Amino acid sequence: MLKETALVNLHRELGGKLVDFGGWNMPLHYGSQMEEHHQVRKHAGWFDVSHMTVIDVQGDDAQAYLQYLLANDVAKLKQVGKALYSGMLNEKGGVIDDLIVYLMDFGYRVVVNCATREKDLAWMNKQAEAYNVELVERDDCAMIAVQGPKARSIVDSLIAVPELAVFVGALVQVDDEVFFVARTGYTGEDGYEIMLPANKSEAFARQLTEAGIIPCGLGARDTLRLEAGMNLYGHEMDDSVSPLEANMVWTLAMQPEARTFVGRQALDEQRLAGPINKLVGLVIKGKGVLRAEQEVLMNGSDLKGVITSGSFSPTLATSIALARVPVEFEGECEVMIRNKVIAVELVKPCFVRNGAKVF
């Protein structure tokens, strides 16, 4: 039986097409994935992301525990509310999951993916055995992302959000409840991700809708994140893919050298040997739609790569993709689509930022 968020009845009322998404009954769209995508790029949309798993980490060893658990270093977090993106690695340097961790006044708040919830919690609890920490899964929280150029101004007109820098959050008093509002997102647009009591989420989502922010499904969220060149777990990375091959080098805190974390030894060895693959962006030159698992070829070489995520880009009106290819890949490349060779342009793996083309 599929799990459901506190907003499922509102999704049905608003005409959401509900599908199985990682074991959750979630809206794919509310009639037009394309219209929802454009609305986020031009105005604002809200997404129910309550299927994400929120875990509070408390205790005397909370910092030491997360410094061992994560490839990025939570010691960088000096301000309560500040967020950090990191991979959580296995001993071979593969990515168990990617996550955001916030410094809170009680310790830390970690937000991980929904489809990886069970293995994440098992791994986190196993590593916690050596530390004086308590992990508290916040099933009582809902999570709503509000994204788009008008998102912050509209939300600010509804609740008293303080001025926040990018990747910083704060507690906001809303009537007799407290929301945690963070200036983070997954669309390449400005906006907020809001964690709030589940029993208050429907009323707040109705407020957003009445204020002109349309509900958006996870279909639009995926094309928005692909245009932004953001990784999706299970596509651009997984337990067998190193951060060195998934454009996540910037998330690795290798200093101080004395800090030991899970996967560090494997990463050191991979860095010494040099990564075999790299993640690139592709833009189709002809007709067709780039899809995951399609083969990527380099002219004049027997080397082959594979598309990890691909789709039609509503903003650019063409097909784009992320692909894992050998590091030698450069120059003219092609993709096999239904046994036809289609030329593609190799670009940096980011296509749209703040509504504008960036390659």
Side-chain angles (χ1 to χ4, degrees):
M1 186 173 180
L2 297 178
K3 300 174 186 174
E4 296 182 332
T5 74
L7 293 170
V8 67
N9 290 331
L10 181 60
H11 296 322
R12 292 191 177 101
E13 179 184 319
L14 295 174
K17 176 179 173 56
L18 298 174
V19 298
D20 181 350
F21 187 89
W24 288 79
N25 200 20
M26 300 297 291
L28 181 63
H29 59 71
Y30 295 82
S32 172
Q33 177 178 329
M34 190 76 75
E35 175 58 28
E36 291 161 23
H37 181 111
H38 287 310
Q39 190 70 5
V40 172
R41 287 282 182 243
K42 297 173 182 174
H43 185 71
W46 67 263
F47 302 82
D48 179 11
V49 288
S50 307
H51 57 311
M52 306 279 284
T53 304
V54 180
I55 305 159
D56 288 345
V57 181
Q58 308 172 40
D60 293 341
D61 293 344
Q63 184 185 78
Y65 162 68
L66 289 171
Q67 283 186 294
Y68 181 68
L69 182 75
L70 304 179
N72 210 338
D73 189 354
V74 295
K76 295 178 183 176
L77 300 174
K78 306 295 186 185
Q79 170 193 355
V80 172
K82 179 67 178 170
L84 184 78
Y85 176 72
S86 180
M88 180 166 64
L89 311 183
N90 57 32
E91 290 93 342
K92 295 181 179 178
V95 183
I96 294 174
D97 202 3
D98 66 324
L99 54 85
I100 292 180
V101 55
Y102 299 90
L103 178 63
M104 307 294 285
D105 56 3
F106 57 79
Y108 297 88
R109 171 163 292 179
V110 180
V111 181
V112 303
N113 288 301
C114 75
T116 52
R117 174 184 175 277
E118 302 300 334
K119 73 166 185 174
D120 285 358
L121 286 170
W123 181 256
M124 292 175 73
N125 281 310
K126 179 182 177 183
Q127 304 306 320
E129 291 173 359
Y131 296 89
N132 179 22
V133 293
E134 180 185 15
L135 308 185
V136 181
E137 188 181 354
R138 295 298 305 272
D139 286 334
D140 58 325
C141 278
M143 194 166 164
I144 296 174
V146 189
Q147 302 280 288
K150 302 294 185 183
R152 289 174 60 213
S153 62
I154 297 175
V155 172
D156 290 351
S157 72
L158 301 175
I159 59 177
V161 183
E163 185 65 29
L164 296 173
V166 174
F167 242 55
V168 173
L171 298 175
V172 177
Q173 189 73 37
V174 181
D175 299 326
D176 57 346
E177 301 289 350
V178 176
F179 294 4
F180 181 71
V181 181
R183 199 172 162 194
T184 54
Y186 195 50
T187 63
E189 292 291 340
D190 201 358
Y192 295 130
E193 290 181 310
I194 303 169
M195 297 173 217
L196 69 166
N199 61 2
K200 302 295 181 182
S201 61
E202 182 176 322
F204 185 63
R206 288 185 186 279
Q207 272 189 287
L208 295 173
T209 308
E210 290 165 2
I213 304 177
I214 69 164
C216 298
L218 297 179
R221 190 167 183 257
D222 192 52
T223 50
L224 289 159
R225 77 87 195 168
L226 178 59
E227 288 184 349
M230 295 177 176
N231 287 359
L232 177 63
Y233 192 81
H235 290 252
E236 281 67 52
M237 60 194 156
D238 59 32
D239 299 71
S240 67
V241 177
S242 162
L244 300 175
E245 297 186 338
N247 262 0
M248 295 173 67
V249 173
W250 64 277
T251 71
L252 302 175
M254 306 306 287
Q255 298 293 333
E257 292 185 3
R259 185 175 76 93
T260 300
F261 59 85
V262 180
R264 171 154 198 155
Q265 183 177 346
L267 287 183
D268 285 340
E269 293 171 358
Q270 291 169 19
R271 291 171 75 203
L272 190 62
I276 298 171
N277 298 310
K278 62 183 179 182
L279 193 67
V280 299
L282 303 177
V283 180
I284 201 165
K285 290 184 176 179
K287 293 182 178 179
V289 179
L290 302 175
R291 300 288 188 195
E293 306 302 328
Q294 289 171 344
E295 200 170 59
V296 187
L297 312 171
M298 186 175 81
N299 285 357
S301 169
D302 293 331
L303 295 173
K304 295 179 181 177
V306 64
I307 290 179
T308 51
S309 294
S311 181
F312 178 78
S313 162
T315 303
L316 302 174
T318 191
S319 190
I320 60 173
L322 297 174
R324 183 173 302 109
V325 300
V327 292
E328 295 89 346
F329 255 56
E330 58 183 11
E332 297 296 320
C333 294
E334 299 164 332
V335 171
M336 291 292 292
I337 302 178
R338 296 180 179 175
N339 297 321
K340 291 184 179 178
V341 176
I342 306 295
V344 292
E345 180 184 0
L346 207 64
V347 301
K348 290 184 177 179
C350 180
F351 307 93
V352 176
R353 186 69 68 184
N354 294 321
K357 176 182 173 182
V358 293
F359 64 91

